[in-house]
Amino acid sequence: FLAVHLIHTSQGFYQPESSRFPSCLWFVFLPLADMFSTLLGRVIRRRSPLKADRTHIHHILQRAGLHKHKALQLLIIVHAFFIGIGIWFFHLDLHLFYTAFLLAFVFVLYRLILGMAPRFIRIRNRQLKRRQKELAKNTFVTNETICDRVSV
């Protein structure tokens, strides 16, 4: 379906060429936003933009506690949502300016959310450690209680 839709749009069946390009950017928004956001973060931290690190969205989701398959599923759903937005804007025949403005706005939101993610992950990890300590205190079993349970 997606390939047929892109072929039709590239042949000019729907609308003028000026509105095609920003609408098609929604189809690759998530990978592009992740790449530019990661590069921007590296430049802000005064690191080489080409040096590998774990600041891509799938690494952040894994640090937040998602298994790699669940992170992939979430990213596929979010990417499908952005593709849906692109198709919807394409058929609404939005002007180039509005589509480009919405792309920039969503990118800024994406960057802000990724910027806040490490803080939320640290808070969540602290809470999990506290819960684990509380559970360890409450479920502390001595050798005597084990012997009592076995003899009963």
Side-chain angles (χ1 to χ4, degrees), residues 65-131:
L66 288 178
H67 188 267
K68 62 183 177 180
H69 297 295
K70 291 293 183 185
L72 176 64
Q73 289 173 353
L74 178 64
L75 290 175
I76 289 171
I77 290 168
V78 171
H79 191 67
F81 175 74
F82 286 133
I83 289 173
I85 288 175
I87 293 171
W88 184 49
F89 285 169
F90 185 82
H91 289 292
L92 284 179
D93 197 19
L94 285 180
H95 189 269
L96 171 71
F97 173 76
Y98 296 120
T99 307
F101 176 77
L102 288 169
L103 273 166
F105 179 73
V106 172
F107 175 75
V108 169
L109 282 177
Y110 178 84
R111 180 69 189 139
L112 288 173
I113 290 170
L114 281 186
M116 293 185 304
R119 186 175 312 138
F120 289 120
I121 291 170
R122 279 193 302 270
I123 291 170
R124 181 183 172 276
N125 288 341
R126 285 183 202 143
Q127 290 173 344
L128 287 175
K129 285 181 183 177
R130 266 191 228 125
R131 286 184 193 155

Side-chain angles (χ1 to χ4, degrees), residues 1-15 20 24 27 87 90:
F1 172 73
L2 181 59
V4 171
H5 180 74
L6 289 175
I7 290 169
H8 279 280
T9 58
S10 69
Q11 300 303 316
F13 291 121
Y14 291 121
Q15 56 190 138
R20 283 190 210 141
C24 290
F27 289 85
I87 293 171
F90 185 82

Side-chain angles (χ1 to χ4, degrees), residues 33-51 53 55 107 111 114-115:
D34 186 43
M35 179 188 70
F36 285 123
S37 177
T38 301
L39 291 176
L40 181 66
R42 291 174 188 163
V43 169
I44 288 172
R45 288 188 307 274
R46 297 176 188 241
R47 295 185 182 156
S48 170
L50 303 177
K51 185 170 171 80
D53 60 5
T55 57
F107 175 75
R111 180 69 189 139
L114 281 186

